[in-house]
């Protein structure tokens, strides 16, 4: 997947213009890089288009924060008047794009580092057991 295709998919899914979709994508990847530990951010970057790779560090920060903080940081990174609710919508569209762009193995590797509450971001809300 090329960068313009990724941005276009985010734009279509969120209703953002190209510039705002790029900002949302960069913000989400930047915050994700802060959350992932070790070389996982580098492994993830290896499967992304060139213009997006640079948003991820070669060594992830491994910071521990919940999905609500994840959305708050994305909103802050996007700037302007982006609310946390809007950042959530944008980030969820980006997660779908990542799932399509990555190999199944890489998707499993990086998502396995995330705690259960990130199921909201990944669109994989756990099924309630009775």
């Amino acid at each position: 997947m090329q960068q313009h295709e990724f941005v276009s998919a985010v734009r279509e899914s969120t209703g953002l213009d190209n510039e705002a979709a790029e900002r949302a994508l960069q913000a989400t990847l930047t915050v994700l890089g802060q959350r992932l530990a070790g070389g996982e951010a580098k492994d993830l970057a290896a499967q992304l288009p060139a213009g997006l790779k640079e948003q991820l560090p070669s060594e992830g920060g491994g910071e521990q924060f919940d999905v609500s903080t994840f959305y708050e940081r994305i909103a802050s990174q996007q700037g302007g008047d982006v609310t946390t609710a809007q950042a959530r919508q944008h980030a969820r569209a980006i997660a779908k794009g990542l799932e399509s762009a990555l190999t199944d193995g890489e998707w499993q590797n990086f998502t396995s580092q995330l705690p259960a509450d990130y199921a909201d971001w990944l669109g994989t809300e756990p099924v309630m057991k009775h």
Side-chain angles (χ1 to χ4, degrees), residues 12-94:
E12 289 171 18
S13 180
T14 60
L16 296 172
D17 63 24
N18 262 356
E19 185 179 322
E22 289 253 6
R23 274 196 318 274
L25 189 51
Q26 291 169 354
T28 301
L29 291 175
T30 297
V31 176
L32 182 60
Q34 295 165 357
R35 181 66 179 81
L36 295 175
E40 193 54 48
K42 181 180 176 185
D43 293 346
L44 176 60
Q47 293 191 17
L48 294 177
L52 300 178
K53 289 179 184 192
E54 57 215 35
Q55 301 307 315
L56 291 162
S58 59
E59 189 74 22
E63 293 181 46
Q64 302 293 311
F65 49 84
D66 64 15
V67 75
S68 296
T69 303
F70 180 70
Y71 296 141
E72 290 165 8
R73 287 184 178 198
I74 291 170
S76 177
Q77 284 279 327
Q78 281 185 260
D81 56 356
V82 174
T83 66
T84 301
Q86 290 169 321
R88 177 182 179 265
Q89 176 196 13
H90 305 162
R92 287 177 58 122
I94 291 160

Side-chain angles (χ1 to χ4, degrees), residues 98-117:
L98 287 172
E99 187 175 14
S100 297
L102 302 174
T103 64
D104 288 344
E106 182 51 36
W107 175 258
Q108 292 301 320
N109 285 346
F110 105 80
T111 59
S112 70
Q113 284 198 12
L114 302 173
D117 66 336

